[in-house]
Structures are given as structure tokens and as C-alpha cells.
């Protein structure tokens, strides 16, 4: 994905086909726009406009840090960050310093991943 709004819209179609009702939201942003491409009813009810703006600000800040992260971790280009919460997995596809796509899925989509992360948290005493 090169980071266009069109590709992000295609991602929504793909995810709705593959994960169905487990898709929570898809947000595309660039320098000038914020486009909420998909939002489930439960997510829409949980976040007011201020909450959505706060999430977008967090995504933009993370995107600004892309070059720093790539310099810090010498692994190549930073393409995506993933956050695992009890009820959702947030993926942030960073296309550039001012552009990205944020995807949220219900955590059960990542049952194997969540089991692994959960076991690591248990070992760490968290």
C-alpha cells in the first residue's frame, strides 16, 4: 500500500469481506483530511467527536515519529504499529510523516496473537 485514500477504501472492502462484523473502524488521514472510512455502530457510540479527534492526533504524532523510529531501530522502513487491547487490536499503517491508515478489529480476530501476548504478559507478571 502506497498510502492513498483509494487504497484505504479498498482495504475496507477487503476487511469487511474477511472479518465481517469484527471490523471496528478504518480511518485514513493525510496533511489536509481525515476520512472515517468505516465505523461500527458500537464504536460510533463509544467515541464522540472529541474522542475521535484525540485518536487522530495520536496517529499523526506517531506518524511524525516514523523517521526517528526507523533510525532508532535499524530494521528498515516502519510500515505498521500494532496495539493489543483487551477488546480490540489497533493497527496503524504509517504511509509517511503526515499520512496513514488506522484499522481497529475486535480482539477475537487475533486469537492466536492475543494468546501469545497474554502468555508473555503472564510471564512478565502483568
Amino acid at each position: 500500500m502506497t498510502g492513498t485514500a483509494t487504497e484505504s477504501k479498498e482495504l475496507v472492502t477487503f476487511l469487511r469481506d474477511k472479518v465481517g462484523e469484527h471490523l471496528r473502524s478504518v480511518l485514513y488521514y493525510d496533511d489536509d483530511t481525515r476520512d472515517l472510512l468505516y465505523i461500527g455502530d458500537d464504536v460510533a457510540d463509544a467515541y464522540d467527536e472529541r474522542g475521535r479527534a484525540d485518536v487522530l492526533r495520536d496517529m499523526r504524532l506517531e506518524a511524525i515519529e516514523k523517521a526517528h523510529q526507523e533510525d532508532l531501530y535499524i530494521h528498515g522502513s516502519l510500515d505498521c504499529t500494532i496495539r493489543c487491547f483487551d477488546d480490540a487490536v489497533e493497527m496503524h499503517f504509517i504511509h509517511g510523516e503526515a499520512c496513514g491508515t488506522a484499522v481497529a478489529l475486535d480482539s477475537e480476530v487475533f486469537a492466536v496473537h492475543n494468546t501469545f501476548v497474554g502468555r508473555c504478559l503472564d510471564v512478565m507478571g502483568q
Side-chain angles (χ1 to χ4, degrees):
M1 179 182 285
T2 58
T4 68
T6 300
E7 289 168 324
S8 294
K9 289 175 185 173
E10 291 171 2
L11 179 62
V12 171
T13 301
F14 171 80
L15 289 170
R16 291 202 66 185
D17 180 56
K18 295 298 180 191
V19 301
E21 294 299 314
H22 295 291
L23 180 60
R24 297 173 57 84
S25 63
V26 179
L27 168 72
Y28 171 82
Y29 66 91
D30 60 23
D31 281 325
D32 303 317
T33 63
R34 171 189 77 173
D35 194 359
L36 190 55
L37 302 173
Y38 177 84
I39 188 165
D41 292 338
D42 59 332
V43 178
D45 293 341
Y47 288 89
D48 60 12
E49 190 58 34
R50 170 81 180 200
R52 292 177 192 160
D54 289 344
V55 169
L56 175 62
R57 183 174 49 253
D58 186 57
M59 297 295 109
R60 288 186 186 278
L61 289 171
E62 188 171 66
I64 289 169
E65 289 289 314
K66 177 179 169 54
H68 171 71
Q69 293 290 312
E70 290 169 345
D71 287 344
L72 185 62
Y73 300 96
I74 307 172
H75 302 309
S77 178
L78 175 62
D79 300 316
C80 178
T81 60
I82 300 172
R83 290 180 180 83
C84 300
F85 297 93
D86 290 339
D87 298 327
V89 174
E90 297 276 344
M91 298 177 291
H92 183 202
F93 299 93
I94 305 168
H95 311 307
E97 286 190 5
C99 183
T101 303
V103 174
L105 302 171
D106 289 336
S107 60
E108 49 268 20
V109 172
F110 288 91
V112 172
H113 176 72
N114 283 341
T115 301
F116 175 76
V117 171
R119 181 63 184 128
C120 289
L121 289 171
D122 288 344
V123 170
M124 297 299 297
Q126 297 183 356

